Amino acid sequence: MRLTKLGLLVAGMGIAFAAQAAEVEVLHYWTSGGEAKSVAELKKMMEAKGYTWKDFAVAGGGGENAMTALKTRVVSGNPPAAAQIKGPSIQEWGAEGVLASIDDVAKKGGWDKLLPPVVSSVVKYKGQYVAAPVNVHRVNWLWVNPELLKKANAKVPTTWDEFFVTAAALQKIGVQPVAYGGQPWQDSTVFETVALGVGGADFYKKAFVQLDQGTLSGPTMIKALETYKKIKPFTDKNSSGREWNLATSMVINGKAGMQFMGDWAKGEFMAAGKVPGKDFLCVAAPGTANAYTFNIDSFAMFKLKNKEAEKGQQALAATLMSPEFQELFNLNKGSIPARLGVNMSKFDLCGQKSAEDFKMASTKGTLIPSWAHGMAMKSATQGAMFDVVTQFWNDDKMSAKDAAVKIAKAAKTM
């Protein structure tokens, strides 16, 4: 992602300014339903503070299109005031020398006390805040249709052994046990959850955060891969290429009993008028009750030449971390506030459970970044990992041992 020398020269010359006085330009890829609603509220909050909001929305590609647009703007020396960036990408942009410190805002707002260290480290570069986190998605959820489990006389699984017993019971009564979307990011979302459940948080961190070669190709990884592949007979033949929300609708409509997916799936249940705890259950995936894999959205601030625009950036950072915005945004998005201590009374059962577990995991040291969602490793490494996991899922001849060796090799991709 290195910027060209020419681009840096242009940026250094400051040929174009990012924003006019009192104007704040924000690049984001929140263009659907509840997300767009939240952006509109953020715009209102900024305008109430006297700033002009300039919307730079780039739809599609799960943020890939937005990143392409951002690179073009930064190289031309005309970055937006803020851009939606997450995980190690923040560090990559920081290394380019184009991010602005918002440490003064963070100190004034006491962010170090409001954010668990594992979260604040994601939005800091060289010890200084350069981005404001707005939410936390929990990835290691299992979504359950309780009515189907009742019909099958099966229980909500808490271990992998129990999971396969429940899946077999559902299959026996002619119900699809697992709703599955066969796309690379979904394959890895399920696999990382299985790996966490089989190996625990310390194994997960050593393998997917530290990329330890011995752990990546070792016996626990092989067991995790074998467990992951055991799920396949409980999925349907039409799962290849299926979008995640279509898999969720299978659980909603009583076509499937369970789905592994992050808490954005909750939005689908809620939109269908389903009640958490009654029509659907949100439970930690088997073996992962004491851990929490997170995916965080944040806004990074870019260096600007215009002092008024800098003030706008600081106002934006303070607004993004305010309890009012964090509550409003996350009620719309299905996630929970990134800052601790927000009143959760307006949130549903799943949101409240997520907030409790987030706090618990942050004190136990089991709050861990989701590598499948770009929080733990560089994008090139993640892409190589995706390829291996998807190949293993679809290739009946590949052994778990061979897949583990390939995963270790993929971890060396930079």
Side-chain angles (χ1 to χ4, degrees), residues 49 102-114 129 314-315 318 321 339:
K49 290 183 177 182
I102 47 169
D103 230 36
D104 289 348
V105 179
K107 281 189 178 122
K108 198 176 169 187
W111 291 13
D112 277 346
K113 287 179 183 168
L114 294 171
Y129 282 95
Q314 290 166 1
M321 268 288 285
R339 61 177 285 160

Side-chain angles (χ1 to χ4, degrees), residues 89-132:
S89 293
I90 294 171
Q91 307 306 311
E92 290 175 34
W93 281 109
E96 298 293 351
V98 292
L99 295 185
S101 169
I102 47 169
D103 230 36
D104 289 348
V105 179
K107 281 189 178 122
K108 198 176 169 187
W111 291 13
D112 277 346
K113 287 179 183 168
L114 294 171
L115 297 170
V118 72
V119 174
S120 61
S121 66
V122 170
V123 289
K124 282 180 179 178
Y125 178 68
K126 289 189 173 172
Q128 297 227 337
Y129 282 95
V130 290

Side-chain angles (χ1 to χ4, degrees), residues 339-359:
R339 61 177 285 160
L340 298 168
V342 173
N343 185 339
M344 296 298 291
S345 61
K346 288 182 190 170
F347 287 77
D348 58 59
L349 283 177
C350 298
Q352 289 173 0
K353 171 81 177 133
S354 185
E356 277 168 30
D357 289 355
F358 177 61
K359 200 173 175 183

Side-chain angles (χ1 to χ4, degrees), residues 206-399:
K206 217 170 171 189
F208 302 118
V209 180
Q210 295 161 21
L211 301 177
D212 178 75
Q213 284 291 302
T215 307
L216 287 164
S217 58
T220 307
M221 184 63 77
I222 293 166
K223 192 183 176 191
L225 284 156
E226 286 168 348
T227 307
Y228 171 56
K229 199 66 174 275
K230 267 178 79 178
I231 296 169
K232 196 169 185 184
F234 298 107
T235 64
D236 64 310
K237 288 184 169 61
N238 299 320
S239 63
S240 181
R242 180 185 285 135
E243 294 287 345
W244 69 269
N245 55 318
L246 298 179
T248 306
S249 70
M250 290 169 70
V251 181
I252 293 169
N253 299 327
K255 301 268 168 58
M258 301 176 281
Q259 181 192 18
F260 296 98
M261 191 49 61
D263 55 20
W264 45 92
K266 184 179 72 176
E268 299 297 306
F269 286 98
M270 303 303 267
K274 302 296 179 185
V275 179
K278 181 181 163 228
D279 303 316
F280 69 97
L281 308 177
C282 48
V283 294
T288 73
N290 291 320
Y292 190 114
T293 41
F294 66 83
N295 175 20
I296 294 171
D297 285 310
S298 52
F299 280 94
M301 306 297 162
F302 283 78
K303 284 181 180 172
L304 305 172
K305 303 290 180 188
N306 186 310
K307 291 294 169 198
E308 282 302 313
E310 276 184 11
K311 284 183 196 166
Q313 266 181 336
Q314 290 166 1
L316 176 64
T319 305
L320 289 167
M321 268 288 285
S322 69
E324 297 80 15
F325 176 73
Q326 295 240 336
E327 180 189 270
L328 179 85
F329 176 78
N330 290 293
L331 282 168
N332 283 328
K333 188 121 173 22
S335 41
I336 63 165
R339 61 177 285 160
L340 298 168
V342 173
N343 185 339
M344 296 298 291
S345 61
K346 288 182 190 170
F347 287 77
D348 58 59
L349 283 177
C350 298
Q352 289 173 0
K353 171 81 177 133
S354 185
E356 277 168 30
D357 289 355
F358 177 61
K359 200 173 175 183
M360 171 273 295
S362 67
T363 55
K364 279 189 176 179
T366 56
L367 189 58
I368 41 184
S370 163
W371 69 264
H373 292 271
M375 296 305 299
M377 55 184 74
K378 288 184 175 176
S379 51
T381 319
Q382 181 199 39
M385 290 264 198
F386 274 11
D387 290 346
V388 177
V389 173
T390 293
Q391 191 188 354
F392 176 64
W393 179 261
N394 293 309
D395 184 350
D396 292 333
K397 290 176 184 168
M398 189 190 291
S399 70

Side-chain angles (χ1 to χ4, degrees), residues 38-61:
S38 301
V39 171
E41 291 299 330
L42 181 57
K43 180 184 174 184
K44 267 190 221 164
M45 286 180 181
M46 286 300 288
E47 285 173 347
K49 290 183 177 182
Y51 295 95
T52 304
W53 175 277
K54 189 176 179 186
D55 204 52
F56 185 1
V58 182

